[in-house]
Amino acid sequence: MDKKLLDAAMAGDTAALKDLIAEDPLVLDRALVSCVSETPLHVASMLGHLGFVTELLSRNPELASELDSHGSTPLHVAAAKGHAEIVKELVLADPGVCAVRNGDGRTALHVAAAKGRVKVMRELVRVGNESTRALTDRGETALHLCVGCNRLEGLKVLVEAAGSDDDFVNWKDCDGNTVLHIAVAKKQTEITKFLLFKTGVNVNALNANSATALDILMQSPRDLRDMEIEDSLRGAGAQSAKDVRNIAQDWVRAPTKERQISRHRGSALSSRVSVSMKPAGNKKPTDWLGRKRSSLMVVASLLATVAFQAAITPPGGFWQDDLQVDENGNPVASPHTVGTSVMATKQGKEYGLFMIFNTISFLTSLSIILLLVSGLPIKRRRWMWIQMVIMWVAVTTLVITYFITLRHMSPNDENVQIMLRKVTEISVLTWLTLMVVVFFGNVIRMNLWILRKYGYIKSKEVDDELEEVRTED
């Protein structure tokens, strides 16, 4: 490219461009045929010189379709930089440039989606919905790129442009992943909620590994966002791949409008009642054990962290110096060593209680984590109840540790001690009351479960279905 033309493009100097064209009418044509990496339109589009871009396009519209050394058009460059007005001028000059893919296999809309350039995306979508259907080399739509780069606002623009086209929202990439699979894998809470409740995404779609979005969540490393995402998925009817296949098999085998009530091990009626052959995906699943396992894992991890921190930073801190003898060389009454606990030196009995209860809380929390990740067949309700009891022990001992710490940190002032005693009495009484209520509540639930299991009482779901059958008959 001529140096003067390059300088004019970098400065956005329209007057200089006109002077150059007046001196040499073929200066722009020479820029097209020269072996340079960028045309003056690429440079002006990248730097946002709207007036210079408009003048170039009016003189030579062919510049809009030229490629640089990376296979990018000026539209790719302007879209990446977020220059919406320049994008508008380039599209008016050559609408077909929207479909051109660069060296990475991406169109200008793909680039804008990955960068989160919302205004640019609106301009490109306005040209025609065909550009939104373009795919990358990995079979990804612009939706996949928005979700992969966590661009919620850009995602909303594309969904609005798609309207009622659910096929677009449910498009799968080369790995069979929909945008919901990607959002869940990246733990994007807001995007997951938007896809579930504002679009027609298939919540139980299977990817190339035959996994649903719920399967991906359960197989990923657990963190605090998982519970919120899982609640959203289950609220939208999400199921595991195993459950989806079972429902599909039941749909094929069962006759339309047939009701089946089967007997199980001599009991009066089974809890399984097939009322209609409508897919069960419309019913909210009740994976009680799965939710409990997830909750126990999160809570146990938090308790173990708190207990570990309390052990390495006990109340009162650590001695910062050594004191074994006085200034005359005589042994002191209360010697101490640097790095040892102040509480252990001054209040040995209270320190012993503190460490006992804190250690119990720490080890019981770790035991729950170990059981959950051990792979042992402990997925029955009775095993879950045992782990819940262990959790009660961990929480209770941590509460005791808290009150020991509070007592140690409080001064010996009479008013302070009276207030501390009252607070402790009220708190302990409230805690014991809560524990008793929880204990008897679970005992009642366990008894009801045993009675239903052995047929002494009927399941409420079976009674409801039978009543509906009698009514329709």
Side-chain angles (χ1 to χ4, degrees):
M1 192 191 311
D2 184 88
K3 186 178 185 304
K4 293 182 179 180
L5 182 58
L6 175 60
D7 292 340
M10 294 183 65
D13 191 346
T14 306
L17 173 63
K18 292 178 180 179
D19 292 341
L20 288 173
I21 294 176
E23 294 176 6
D24 183 2
L26 299 179
V27 64
L28 295 181
D29 296 291
R30 289 195 181 93
L32 284 174
V33 299
S34 62
C35 298
V36 294
S37 61
E38 296 173 325
T39 67
L41 186 58
H42 282 91
V43 176
S45 298
M46 179 175 58
L47 298 177
H49 299 316
L50 177 60
F52 197 90
V53 168
T54 304
E55 184 66 24
L56 282 174
L57 292 175
S58 65
R59 300 280 185 171
N60 197 332
E62 295 178 3
L63 287 169
S65 58
E66 285 298 307
L67 305 179
D68 62 9
S69 58
H70 300 289
S72 297
T73 65
L75 184 61
H76 285 94
V77 178
K81 296 290 288 185
H83 301 314
E85 293 298 324
I86 293 179
V87 167
K88 184 177 181 180
E89 294 295 329
L90 292 170
V91 171
L92 287 175
D94 185 2
V97 77
C98 294
V100 177
R101 301 201 301 172
N102 62 11
D104 296 327
R106 296 183 175 183
T107 65
L109 181 59
H110 292 149
V111 174
K115 292 288 186 179
R117 311 300 188 189
V118 178
K119 293 182 179 179
V120 172
M121 293 175 66
R122 288 197 178 98
E123 289 294 335
L124 294 174
V125 169
R126 184 178 55 82
V127 176
N129 287 339
E130 292 79 10
S131 62
T132 63
R133 305 301 191 274
L135 304 177
T136 66
D137 293 340
R138 298 189 70 258
E140 301 167 309
T141 65
L143 286 175
H144 288 86
L145 296 175
C146 281
V147 175
C149 298
N150 198 16
R151 310 295 187 186
L152 177 58
E153 296 302 320
L155 179 65
K156 292 179 179 179
V157 171
L158 295 175
V159 171
E160 181 182 355
S164 59
D165 186 2
D166 292 343
D167 291 338
F168 177 55
V169 179
N170 288 298
W171 185 268
K172 298 181 179 180
D173 61 14
C174 62
D175 297 320
N177 291 317
T178 65
V179 288
L180 182 60
H181 286 98
I182 298 174
V184 172
K186 291 182 174 291
K187 307 296 179 70
Q188 295 168 349
T189 307
E190 295 301 321
I191 288 182
T192 300
K193 290 181 179 179
F194 174 78
L195 291 173
L196 290 173
F197 303 114
K198 299 295 183 181
T199 70
V201 67
N202 182 2
V203 69
N204 290 318
L206 301 177
N207 63 9
N209 295 324
S210 297
T212 64
L214 185 60
D215 292 324
I216 290 178
L217 179 66
M218 293 304 178
Q219 295 166 6
S220 64
R222 310 296 286 174
D223 62 31
L224 294 178
R225 294 172 293 179
D226 289 3
M227 295 182 65
E228 186 175 358
I229 295 176
E230 183 180 355
D231 289 341
S232 299
L233 287 171
R234 293 190 183 281
Q239 295 179 327
S240 64
K242 179 181 178 181
D243 294 333
V244 171
R245 286 192 290 268
N246 291 338
I247 291 171
Q249 293 171 1
D250 291 342
W251 170 267
V252 172
R253 290 197 301 263
T256 305
K257 296 183 180 180
E258 179 181 354
R259 305 178 185 277
Q260 298 177 348
I261 303 176
S262 61
R263 297 184 176 273
H264 178 63
R265 294 183 181 180
S267 61
L269 290 172
S270 170
S271 60
R272 179 182 178 184
V273 180
S274 179
V275 179
S276 67
M277 292 307 106
K278 186 177 181 180
N282 293 333
K283 294 184 179 180
K284 182 178 179 179
T286 55
D287 186 6
W288 182 86
L289 290 177
R291 293 199 302 272
K292 288 295 182 183
R293 286 172 61 86
S294 300
S295 301
L296 285 174
M297 176 63 76
V298 174
V299 176
S301 300
L302 291 175
L303 290 178
T305 302
V306 173
F308 176 80
Q309 188 65 31
I312 62 175
T313 56
F318 302 97
W319 292 108
Q320 303 299 317
D321 60 345
D322 287 319
L323 181 61
Q324 302 295 331
V325 296
D326 59 15
E327 53 195 19
N328 297 321
N330 300 318
V332 297
S334 299
H336 60 259
T337 306
V338 63
T340 58
S341 172
V342 175
M343 183 180 181
T345 305
K346 296 295 185 179
Q347 296 177 321
K349 182 178 180 181
E350 288 77 2
Y351 180 77
L353 292 174
F354 171 83
M355 293 304 299
I356 290 173
F357 288 112
N358 190 71
T359 303
I360 293 174
S361 178
F362 181 67
L363 293 180
T364 50
S365 302
L366 290 183
S367 65
I368 293 174
I369 297 174
L370 180 61
L371 288 173
L372 291 175
V373 302
S374 64
L376 297 175
I378 53 175
K379 296 183 179 181
R380 296 182 178 273
R381 286 178 179 262
R382 59 176 176 269
W383 291 110
M384 192 59 61
W385 282 330
I386 293 174
Q387 293 178 71
M388 289 173 62
V389 171
I390 298 175
M391 177 62 69
W392 295 345
V393 174
V395 174
T396 302
T397 52
L398 191 62
V399 170
I400 297 175
T401 302
Y402 167 80
F403 281 109
I404 294 177
T405 303
L406 191 63
R407 182 178 179 182
H408 170 76
M409 296 172 60
S410 301
N412 292 324
D413 183 82
E414 183 178 355
N415 294 328
V416 175
Q417 291 297 320
I418 293 175
M419 179 60 69
L420 178 61
R421 186 162 49 251
K422 290 181 178 180
V423 170
T424 304
E425 290 174 355
I426 295 174
S427 301
V428 171
L429 181 61
T430 303
W431 181 258
L432 291 177
T433 303
L434 179 61
M435 292 293 291
V436 169
V437 171
V438 173
F439 175 76
F440 281 105
N442 279 277
V443 168
I444 294 173
R445 287 182 58 193
M446 183 176 65
N447 290 332
L448 290 175
W449 175 75
I450 293 174
L451 292 175
R452 288 195 185 99
K453 180 178 180 180
Y454 292 100
Y456 292 104
I457 61 174
K458 297 179 180 178
S459 173
K460 184 178 182 299
E461 294 180 358
V462 174
D463 293 339
D464 292 342
E465 302 296 351
L466 286 174
E467 183 63 27
E468 184 179 348
V469 173
R470 295 192 192 99
T471 304
E472 293 188 2
D473 291 342

